[in-house]
Amino acid sequence: MNEKCLCEQNDVLIFACAGSSNVGQIGNQTAIQLARDGIGRYFCLAGIGGHVPGMIESTKAGKVLVAIDGCAVSCAKKTLEHAGFRIDEHVQVSELGIEKNHDLNLNPADISKVTHHLASRISKERVG
Ligand code: SF4
């Protein structure tokens, strides 16, 4: 059984809480967009939460770990830290002026806003 995440191929690994709220799903769509843009590789947070050995090893190989959380509960950040990882970039969607609710009809402008914010932070992280 292959336990590795077969997403994109670079050393920026992106994890999103993908929570069941607008902000959680905006984070999920942001991770997808960043992967489509070739900025990072969207990894499976659930594999980290489940301590799946192959996924833990794949994550150790990452150079820049990015956590996207919908809100201040910070489930993605806490899951990664619980598994012993240090996060290089962390964003909470609700801190970018997007109020948390449970309307899953997402506004594409919100996804663009978070995507641009993180793309800029990640490029600085890679340079620095
Ligand atoms: S960080 Fe917030 S939005 Fe994301 S899973 Fe946790 S509680 Fe839900």
Side-chain angles (χ1 to χ4, degrees):
M1 185 171 67
N2 190 342
E3 292 184 328
K4 294 196 172 170
C5 185
L6 302 173
C7 309
E8 290 286 334
Q9 54 290 86
N10 72 36
D11 50 12
V12 176
L13 307 186
I14 301 166
F15 298 85
C17 75
S20 60
S21 60
N22 66 326
V23 287
Q25 289 306 306
I26 288 166
N28 183 44
Q29 291 299 318
T30 295
I32 291 169
Q33 191 58 53
L34 289 168
R36 280 186 180 141
D37 292 346
I39 290 168
R41 187 175 170 191
Y42 190 9
F43 245 53
C44 305
L45 185 68
I48 303 301
H51 295 271
V52 177
M55 301 196 53
I56 296 285
E57 288 308 310
S58 298
T59 302
K60 282 180 185 167
K63 301 264 190 326
V64 178
L65 298 193
V66 179
I68 307 174
D69 277 310
C71 72
V73 181
S74 293
C75 299
K77 180 173 184 280
K78 286 174 182 162
T79 300
L80 285 158
E81 288 177 346
H82 188 257
F85 292 108
R86 185 182 66 81
I87 295 160
D88 301 291
E89 282 296 337
H90 178 230
V91 68
Q92 286 172 26
V93 173
S94 60
E95 277 193 340
L96 299 178
I98 302 166
E99 194 172 339
K100 182 178 181 179
N101 60 46
H102 288 89
D103 179 0
L104 297 178
N105 295 301
L106 308 179
N107 180 349
D110 290 338
I111 298 163
S112 292
K113 181 179 189 178
V114 184
T115 301
H116 288 131
H117 172 83
L118 258 178
S120 153
R121 297 270 299 262
I122 292 168
S123 41
K124 279 184 194 141
E125 183 75 41
R126 296 202 65 156
V127 171

